[in-house]
Amino acid sequence: MLNRAIARLGAVAAIVLTCDVLSAQNLGTYGTPGLIDMPTAEVLPDGHLGFTASGFGPNLRNTMVFQMLPNVYGTFRYSLIDGFLGGGNTLYDRSFDVHFQLRRELGNWPAIALGLRDVGGTGVYAGEYLVATKTFANRFKVTGGIGWGRLATNGGIQSPLCFNQNRFCTRDLKNEGIEDTGQLDFGNWFRGDIAPFGGVEWQVNEKLSLLAEYSSDAYTQESQKKLIDINIPLNFGATYKISDATSISGYFAYGTEVGLQISYVIDPANPVNNAGLEKAPPNLIPVDQVALASWNLPDQNQDQPAVQQVLKQKMKDAGLILEGLEVDGSTAIVRLENFRYGASAQAIGRANRALANTMPKSIDTFAVVLLRQGLPVIRVDTKRSDLSELEDDIDGSWRSLARADLSDPYQNASQPLDGIYPRIDYRLSPYTAFAFFDPDNPLRGDVGIQFKADLMLRPGLTFSGRLRQPLAGNIDQATRQSNSKLPHVRSDWVLYAQQSDLELNHLTAEYIWQPRKDVFARVTGGYLEPMYGGISGEILWYPVGSRLALGGEMNWTRQRDFDMLLDFRDYNVTTGHASIYYDVGSEYRAQVDVGRYLAGDWGATFTLDREFNNGFKVGGFFTLTDVPFEEFGEGSFDKGITLEIPLTWFTGKPSKQVVGQVIRPVYRDGGARLNVRNRLYQHTRKQRGTRLASQWGRYYK
């Protein structure tokens, strides 16, 4: 068993040992701040993200933990328990935890926390706890607590909450099994017997920590199935820090088992490679020296094409495409497409430098209109004198934001420069695709080659397509067929994988425009995504600088054939949603989408994301519709976690590319939404409103 765990952990170690960032306190076998199996009252530093893989006995636990708030962390865990289902069959278990630190450690008072394990999962690990942790002499941590549920199976006693045979006296164990999954079993929380647990951690030095604990988990089900021997409720371990980010742990558990764990903790706000690998911006030339350049004339009646040619090249050197240039009195207005910088504020800063080093002295204001696929999204007016005055100011970026004028670019359109349209972009590249949490194989994947092309005939009008050819992988080897009682709008993904070879992922015509101030509109038609084609229309109200945006979308769709080429199946449906987007502040964004989904069900999707200023995003969502939990099937309702990591976070070089993944425990038909490209809020938000302002610190970079 240990050899198998070591083999699995080796793949994780090969990845995590390549990075080196900030570490946190010890993470236990459940992937959360803890001793070994038992939790502590500690939390990670705010915003930190941890990954662990641990193995001992029949257990392999893979965990992601995110410190959502300074005193709250959430956890997603995917566990493999060999032989748990009988006949040597493995249980692939998905579970969520939440931990609330009620009080920080302060003075003589310990940290105190309340937590719930395995909420919304199978209940195999279900338990609750109240725990306290105190540090002595900066090296010794002492933890003590009481547990319910699984954390009360060793040494359990009657709960002090139980009196007169009230509801806290018993726990309905039949609801904690592998049959009913995905629901929040409120009725069992903090019910039944309790049991004490505790332990100590000794930090020998900066690298090594030793741990010992008394466990209140008797591994009852595993012991009954003879998967593990529990001789004593004592566990011992050691954790060694390989780097600031990575640590490895070894355990001797319950008197019989030896285990290994590798942990990796990062601070998304601090990239692996901080900015600095990019080319420095050009120095500002004194305005009198700019006027002496041979391609400048003393007034605005200068040879415009000459200035335009020079400015176009300078913008190109800065990673920007100049699409329009006009002079209105003493204001130079440029329309730009940003293809390089993840922070739009940095693109605006680079554009203003190019203007300051090109335009004649008579120009005292620069107006930069940022475009997205030819659509004007934001206009930023900057005084030329402010640009020079604040360049070396320690707080120059934020002071420049206070002096800048951000406005809606409606009716600021100008004739595109010659040669801009039509424009075609195409690329041939490798790709990877993953399918998670198949009950027969938790991770499937494909690698292949793809061809993508975009033809933009005029601003906002784009024809786009993508072809994929899988070359190797095992996604098409999945065998589990859908048993859904709903229309098979998503659960037949296996058939799409098996019956396709060359895949037409999408082939669309799209037009995005601004019908009036603060309003954007989109119409898309064609093969909208791998499983559906049709027509999609959307409208968005999004004032400049507003935290609030409102949107509406309607789609008529028809299900595509399993070969993902040109044919369709008989199923068609009209779907639509009304959406509310709100920037909560402190890096959080909330979204609610209410409407009709692909299976014809009605409901709402709730999303909460935390996006750091560098673009690293961690979020979660869940969908509740009029489909009963039993009819939905495994998982009870749709839910998941999203991760988006900008490429520049790894490389330190400017890039707009993002690596993203949706971690969805199950893929069913209830609450399934059309995956149309370029929804307007995501299409515009990074160049508009509070998101643009939050990244203004990169204005002078």
Side-chain angles (χ1 to χ4, degrees):
M1 198 69 65
L2 178 59
N3 290 338
R4 183 175 180 180
I6 293 173
R8 289 169 172 167
L9 290 173
V12 179
I15 298 173
V16 301
L17 291 178
T18 62
C19 299
D20 186 14
V21 284
L22 189 63
S23 68
Q25 64 280 337
N26 188 70
L27 301 182
T29 62
Y30 281 86
T32 60
L35 294 163
I36 300 173
D37 257 7
M38 298 294 105
T40 65
E42 298 170 293
V43 293
L44 295 169
D46 184 34
H48 279 48
L49 185 65
F51 302 90
T52 62
S54 67
F56 75 92
N59 304 284
L60 177 63
R61 300 175 186 144
N62 306 280
T63 306
M64 180 178 75
V65 56
F66 179 55
Q67 192 68 41
M68 301 179 290
L69 296 169
N71 61 338
V72 181
Y73 66 68
T75 304
F76 172 70
R77 183 179 305 104
Y78 192 72
S79 305
L80 289 71
I81 308 178
D82 282 334
F84 194 88
L85 298 180
N89 294 317
T90 298
L91 171 64
Y92 298 99
D93 180 69
R94 302 166 294 271
S95 58
F96 294 88
D97 301 352
V98 63
H99 174 102
F100 304 91
Q101 190 180 63
L102 306 178
R103 180 187 178 90
R104 293 184 180 182
E105 182 175 350
L106 185 64
N108 294 326
W109 287 91
I112 301 174
L114 189 72
L116 302 100
R117 278 185 179 171
D118 198 353
V119 293
T122 63
V124 169
Y125 292 131
E128 303 81 51
Y129 57 86
L130 179 66
V131 63
T133 299
K134 183 71 177 74
T135 304
F136 298 93
N138 295 324
R139 288 187 178 272
F140 293 91
K141 295 179 183 178
V142 179
T143 293
I146 55 174
W148 287 259
R150 179 159 179 148
L151 292 174
T153 53
N154 173 57
I157 59 176
Q158 189 179 74
S159 170
L161 300 176
C162 171
F163 53 90
N164 296 329
Q165 296 302 307
N166 66 4
R167 62 180 182 174
F168 291 103
C169 294
T170 59
R171 192 179 185 97
D172 189 2
L173 297 178
K174 71 177 184 293
N175 287 336
E176 295 183 346
I178 62 174
E179 298 300 327
D180 300 317
T181 65
Q183 302 180 34
L184 300 179
D185 192 11
F186 302 102
N188 263 351
W189 291 355
F190 302 101
R191 295 190 181 187
D193 290 346
I194 65 170
F197 62 84
V200 296
E201 178 184 349
W202 174 34
Q203 186 175 340
V204 180
N205 53 46
E206 292 183 356
K207 294 287 187 180
L208 178 65
S209 295
L210 301 179
L211 308 108
E213 71 177 13
Y214 171 82
S215 172
S216 60
D217 186 352
Y219 281 79
T220 303
Q221 296 185 71
E222 292 88 342
S223 296
Q224 291 174 348
K225 299 173 187 291
K226 300 187 184 304
L227 303 178
I228 190 172
D229 293 325
I230 303 295
N231 286 349
I232 56 174
L234 298 177
N235 301 324
F236 304 92
T239 297
Y240 184 80
K241 289 176 59 175
I242 298 173
S243 71
D244 285 341
T246 310
S247 61
I248 188 166
S249 303
Y251 306 120
F252 182 62
Y254 302 100
T256 58
E257 301 292 341
V258 176
L260 289 175
Q261 175 172 317
I262 190 160
S263 306
Y264 176 49
V265 180
I266 62 173
D267 179 3
N270 292 309
V272 173
N273 284 305
N274 287 311
L277 299 180
E278 61 190 281
K279 184 179 179 181
N283 293 325
L284 289 173
I285 301 174
V287 65
D288 291 336
Q289 294 183 24
V290 174
L292 296 176
S294 60
W295 34 264
N296 271 324
L297 295 177
D299 57 48
Q300 63 185 50
N301 296 319
Q302 59 186 308
D303 182 8
Q304 188 72 23
V307 175
Q308 175 182 300
Q309 183 178 0
V310 172
L311 187 60
K312 185 176 181 180
Q313 183 60 48
K314 288 187 177 182
M315 294 294 185
K316 183 178 180 181
D317 293 342
L320 307 168
I321 300 299
L322 180 65
E323 294 199 12
L325 170 63
E326 61 181 287
V327 174
D328 182 8
S330 61
T331 300
I333 306 170
V334 292
R335 292 160 51 91
L336 302 168
E337 188 99 24
N338 168 28
F339 288 101
R340 178 175 297 176
Y341 305 100
S344 297
Q346 187 173 6
I348 295 170
R350 294 286 178 120
N352 279 334
R353 285 177 180 269
L355 286 164
N357 291 342
T358 306
M359 303 306 292
K361 188 176 182 178
S362 59
I363 303 298
D364 62 20
T365 303
F366 304 139
V368 176
V369 179
L370 285 185
L371 313 176
R372 182 78 189 273
Q373 291 184 207
L375 172 72
V377 179
I378 190 72
R379 171 171 168 162
V380 180
D381 286 45
T382 304
K383 291 294 184 182
R384 188 175 198 159
S385 57
D386 291 341
L387 189 67
S388 301
E389 177 187 342
L390 300 176
E391 181 182 22
D392 297 321
D393 191 296
I394 192 171
D395 201 27
S397 292
W398 302 111
R399 292 181 65 188
S400 69
L401 174 61
R403 298 184 185 186
D405 180 23
L406 279 64
S407 61
D408 187 276
Y410 180 61
Q411 292 184 335
N412 283 174
S414 62
Q415 188 68 27
L417 300 181
D418 292 340
I420 297 296
Y421 298 101
R423 184 172 74 212
I424 186 167
D425 298 313
Y426 59 90
R427 50 211 172 275
L428 185 67
S429 64
Y431 79 89
T432 58
F434 297 98
F436 294 100
F437 311 128
D438 178 349
D440 300 317
N441 191 332
L443 176 61
R444 296 183 183 275
D446 280 347
V447 296
I449 192 167
Q450 65 182 3
F451 176 76
K452 296 191 288 185
D454 299 290
L455 173 62
M456 188 177 295
L457 293 181
R458 51 166 296 182
L461 178 60
T462 305
F463 293 85
S464 179
R466 181 171 71 182
L467 286 169
R468 278 186 171 181
Q469 176 63 59
L471 299 178
N474 63 352
I475 291 181
D476 61 351
Q477 295 174 20
T479 58
R480 180 167 294 212
Q481 299 297 312
S482 173
N483 61 356
S484 178
K485 299 177 183 178
L486 301 172
H488 293 190
V489 296
R490 291 297 185 196
S491 59
D492 278 339
W493 65 269
V494 173
L495 299 179
Y496 281 91
Q498 291 175 341
Q499 298 185 29
S500 64
D501 188 19
L502 179 66
E503 305 170 0
L504 178 62
N505 287 148
H506 73 265
L507 183 63
T508 59
E510 174 187 80
Y511 184 52
I512 302 178
W513 75 103
Q514 195 172 13
R516 57 173 298 175
K517 182 181 179 182
D518 295 328
V519 177
F520 299 91
R522 172 187 59 81
V523 175
T524 308
Y527 299 91
L528 301 173
E529 52 138 297
M531 293 187 184
Y532 289 89
I535 299 174
S536 173
E538 183 185 8
I539 193 165
L540 176 74
W541 174 77
Y542 192 4
V544 173
S546 173
R547 291 182 178 272
L548 176 69
L550 302 175
E553 178 182 291
M554 288 291 294
N555 312 292
W556 181 87
T557 63
R558 188 169 181 179
Q559 194 170 29
R560 296 178 60 188
D561 202 2
F562 295 137
D563 63 6
M564 283 191 275
L565 292 176
L566 301 179
D567 293 333
F568 289 91
R569 307 185 74 237
D570 292 336
Y571 184 78
N572 63 79
V573 62
T574 299
T575 74
H577 287 80
S579 300
I580 301 174
Y581 311 91
Y582 189 72
D583 187 335
V584 181
S586 300
E587 302 173 332
Y588 280 92
R589 182 186 64 84
Q591 177 177 335
V592 180
D593 304 289
V594 181
R596 193 180 193 218
Y597 295 83
L598 288 171
D601 48 332
W602 293 82
T605 298
F606 303 87
T607 303
L608 182 65
D609 295 327
R610 182 170 184 176
E611 186 170 10
F612 299 88
N613 282 340
N614 55 34
F616 196 118
K617 184 172 76 173
V618 183
F621 66 89
F622 66 91
T623 300
L624 298 174
T625 73
D626 56 4
V627 174
F629 290 165
E630 296 77 12
E631 192 172 342
F632 181 94
E634 182 184 2
S636 298
F637 60 95
D638 189 45
K639 51 190 170 290
I641 297 169
T642 57
L643 279 176
E644 288 187 6
I645 308 176
L647 188 62
T648 186
W649 196 87
F650 296 102
T651 65
K653 298 179 180 180
S655 173
K656 296 190 70 175
Q657 292 186 339
V658 174
V659 178
Q661 184 63 58
V662 177
I663 302 174
R664 193 180 244 109
V666 291
Y667 206 21
R668 303 290 291 181
D669 297 312
R673 193 175 179 187
L674 185 71
N675 293 327
V676 66
R677 300 167 64 248
N678 294 333
R679 284 196 165 103
L680 291 173
Y681 184 71
Q682 293 300 330
H683 194 72
T684 59
R685 66 175 293 264
K686 291 186 178 181
Q687 296 180 341
R688 195 173 178 90
T690 57
R691 183 60 185 162
L692 174 64
S694 69
Q695 295 185 308
W696 206 266
R698 298 201 60 78
Y699 178 75
Y700 277 110
K701 299 294 184 180

